[in-house]
Amino acid sequence: EVQLVESGGGLVQPGGSLRLSCEASGFPFSSYAMSWVRRTQLRGLEWISTISTIEGFTYYTDSVRGRFTISRDDAKNTLYLQMNNLKTEDTAMYYCSRTGIGVIPSADDRGQGTQVTVSS
């Protein structure tokens, strides 16, 4: 059974940082490109970042490039998202998914999510 469990969300002030984690199981993690997507009321599900297998090439949507960093630890089957200089518009439910660049995952390919709230 595929399982993706996100953690690390919370309430943070604008300009602050958070590090999200996603523990994966039930599939060969190192063989999959992995992504982060987020859901807001205004924009629905939005792809924000992908990391490839092996070489670890990274890709970002324009709104987070330079502020967010995606990484992976294949030995721990874990995906990360370091989020710096957070803005109120980053408030969303964040999901990890085993999908590629720009793909909006189905519920079967993403976790339950972790809430990030950016507010003063």
Side-chain angles (χ1 to χ4, degrees):
E1 178 189 6
V2 172
Q3 286 198 322
L4 298 165
V5 180
E6 301 93 340
S7 62
L11 173 64
V12 64
Q13 292 186 341
S17 297
L18 283 173
R19 188 193 196 202
L20 306 184
S21 299
C22 170
E23 295 184 13
S25 61
F27 66 99
F29 180 78
S30 63
S31 297
Y32 279 76
M34 295 294 295
S35 297
W36 288 96
V37 300
R38 63 187 180 188
R39 181 192 295 277
T40 65
Q41 287 186 329
L42 280 179
R43 297 186 297 271
L45 272 175
E46 172 189 29
W47 170 82
I48 56 173
S49 184
T50 296
I51 186 166
S52 71
T53 61
I54 304 175
E55 299 92 347
F57 294 135
T58 57
Y59 308 87
Y60 301 93
T61 193
D62 287 346
S63 62
V64 309
R65 187 177 293 113
R67 300 188 298 121
F68 291 10
T69 303
I70 190 172
S71 62
R72 64 191 298 159
D73 185 337
D74 288 346
K76 296 181 178 179
N77 285 359
T78 302
L79 179 73
Y80 302 99
L81 186 68
Q82 177 67 43
M83 305 187 296
N84 298 329
N85 191 21
L86 282 160
K87 304 177 180 182
T88 55
E89 54 263 40
D90 294 318
T91 295
M93 182 72 79
Y94 284 73
Y95 304 89
C96 67
S97 70
R98 53 172 197 164
T99 48
I101 302 168
V103 175
I104 301 301
S106 68
D108 289 339
D109 283 325
R110 66 177 191 261
Q112 294 301 303
T114 185
Q115 177 67 38
V116 172
T117 302
V118 185
S119 176
S120 55

